[in-house]
Amino acid sequence: MLTTHRGYRLKASAAPARDGLHAADLIIEHPERPPQSFSALDYFYDGEQALTYATAWGRIWVDMKT
């Protein structure tokens, strides 16, 4: 899932994990900074929930850094 927030690009993904769970992963990109990668922010039973969580987490991260 690709979104933007305050000039940053958020690439959320839901990686299959143990016991049928999905890990919420995220890459945050900005033209003037190196990419930030976050793996397994949390685990969810539904892949869509993992994507939603990673995107929301990324927006909070951007808000705190800008």
Side-chain angles (χ1 to χ4, degrees), residues 8-9 26-30 33-38 61 65:
Y8 287 78
R9 185 159 57 182
L26 180 67
I27 299 173
I28 300 175
E29 298 176 329
H30 189 275
R33 298 179 180 202
Q36 297 284 322
S37 180
F38 303 92
W61 186 93
K65 297 293 182 181

Side-chain angles (χ1 to χ4, degrees), residues 52-66:
T52 300
Y53 179 82
T55 300
W57 191 95
R59 287 183 179 138
I60 292 168
W61 186 93
V62 168
D63 289 345
M64 291 179 65
K65 297 293 182 181
T66 58

Side-chain angles (χ1 to χ4, degrees), residues 1 11-27 38-55 57:
M1 173 184 245
K11 293 181 180 179
S13 60
R18 64 188 185 283
D19 301 327
L21 297 175
H22 300 272
D25 297 340
L26 180 67
I27 299 173
F38 303 92
S39 298
L41 295 167
D42 207 340
Y43 294 91
F44 298 87
Y45 288 105
D46 181 80
E48 191 64 33
Q49 288 176 329
L51 293 173
T52 300
Y53 179 82
T55 300
W57 191 95

